[in-house]
Amino acid sequence: MLRIALCDDEENARDALRIQLEKLMDELEDEIVYEFSNGRTCINWLTAHPGEVDLLFLDVEMGKENGMDAAKKIRTVNRDLLIVFATGYTDYVFDGYQVNALDFLVKPVSPEKLKEVLLRAKELLTPPTDRFFVLKNADGAYRLPWDDILYFYSDRRYIHLVTVIKTYTFYGKLNDIEKQVRNNFVRIHQRYLVNSDNVTFVGGDFVTVDNPACEKLPVSRAYKKEASEKLARVLLSGFSGS
């Protein structure tokens, strides 16, 4: 399922694209997550909600901040979002390579071309499951790059997935999560599973992770020996490669 956002400063153009997409979505089981009327609002929302949109249809000609400018700013915070430009002109096609655009659609968009783009986007986003961790909670479904995850911690029957930008909470067991994660994740406590690539310091009974707060996570006695050895190897390999 694709989660789609639309950004166009012309309401009629957004409506026309949404209607076309809705006809195809009955067939492809996708959904429109959000609509934006300007680039600034789009940038702010995507920055605050990482991983909640897979595909963005972005108008090129929009007021003070056009779609190309918006795409460049989006790329500074999100390298994985698929961007499709919608435009009345073909002059911008080569500029799209700068922001790794999936495609350019010339208005009015043909249903055949739109369906082709959706199918291509879905094919690109079908895991490689080794690139993403997928979770579902009451808010919806999220596909988060492994590299963005700082750590998991459990609280009763819930798991909290922590990134620099946001924490995602979902129902689960940490033992089950441990079986799914990459080898670079290390169990340091009954309640904590940390991404070793984001550990900046290993202390006697805690580790520090790479976020603005330099957050300390506890290392329990039961996991200390194995966790310390794994984390030390990661830190030393980082020094030897510098």
Side-chain angles (χ1 to χ4, degrees):
M1 181 184 77
L2 286 175
R3 296 159 301 168
I4 300 167
L6 315 178
C7 182
D8 196 313
D9 60 347
E10 295 184 9
E11 186 175 359
N12 289 340
R14 287 200 312 276
D15 290 344
L17 181 56
R18 187 185 67 253
I19 289 168
Q20 281 189 287
L21 285 168
E22 286 173 345
K23 290 178 180 177
L24 292 171
M25 287 191 296
D26 288 339
E27 179 181 343
L28 300 175
E29 298 182 352
D30 304 318
E31 65 172 331
I32 295 175
V33 175
Y34 215 88
E35 294 185 34
F36 308 98
S37 60
N38 62 77
R40 174 49 47 193
T41 303
C42 180
I43 294 165
N44 291 342
W45 192 90
L46 290 172
T47 301
H49 299 82
E52 295 188 28
V53 169
D54 302 309
L55 174 62
L56 171 66
F57 287 92
L58 185 59
D59 183 34
V60 176
E61 303 87 14
M62 291 190 300
K64 294 180 180 179
E65 185 164 50
N66 66 32
M68 195 61 63
D69 293 333
K72 290 175 183 176
K73 291 178 180 177
I74 290 168
R75 279 290 178 247
T76 65
V77 297
N78 191 325
R79 304 298 303 177
D80 298 308
L81 177 66
L82 298 178
I83 298 175
V84 174
F85 287 106
T87 176
Y89 308 92
T90 58
D91 303 351
Y92 300 95
V93 171
F94 291 106
D95 293 335
Y97 289 108
Q98 300 176 38
V99 293
N100 194 27
L102 176 65
D103 210 333
F104 270 81
L105 300 179
V106 179
K107 300 176 182 177
V109 181
S110 73
E112 293 78 15
K113 180 63 175 176
L114 191 57
K115 183 175 181 179
E116 176 191 323
V117 167
L118 290 178
L119 290 173
R120 188 146 48 96
K122 186 166 290 189
E123 182 177 334
L124 286 171
L125 288 170
T126 299
T129 50
D130 61 333
R131 290 179 54 202
F132 300 98
F133 179 77
V134 179
L135 70 92
K136 293 182 180 180
N137 61 19
D139 297 323
Y142 299 88
R143 184 189 290 112
L144 302 171
W146 286 111
D147 292 343
D148 289 353
I149 301 171
L150 296 177
Y151 62 92
F152 298 86
Y153 76 93
S154 63
D155 182 12
R156 297 185 179 89
R157 300 167 66 187
Y158 291 93
I159 301 294
H160 304 276
L161 182 159
V162 180
T163 71
V164 171
I165 297 173
K166 186 175 179 179
T167 297
Y168 302 82
T169 300
F170 58 101
Y171 179 79
K173 296 179 180 179
L174 200 58
N175 287 342
D176 293 336
I177 300 299
E178 189 175 12
K179 295 174 184 176
Q180 301 176 43
V181 298
R182 286 176 163 184
N183 291 334
N184 57 311
F185 280 79
V186 177
R187 189 74 174 263
I188 60 172
H189 190 282
Q190 185 65 24
R191 296 176 56 195
Y192 288 86
L193 181 62
V194 67
N195 184 347
S196 61
D197 292 339
N198 289 314
V199 171
T200 56
F201 178 79
V202 179
D205 58 0
F206 71 92
V207 299
T208 301
V209 294
D210 187 17
N211 64 4
C214 293
E215 190 174 2
K216 293 182 179 179
L217 306 179
V219 177
S220 69
R221 185 174 301 175
Y223 291 91
K224 183 176 180 178
K225 185 178 185 297
E226 184 177 359
S228 296
E229 290 175 356
K230 288 182 178 179
L231 292 170
R233 283 198 296 271
V234 172
L235 289 178
L236 290 173
S237 66
F239 285 125
S240 63
S242 60

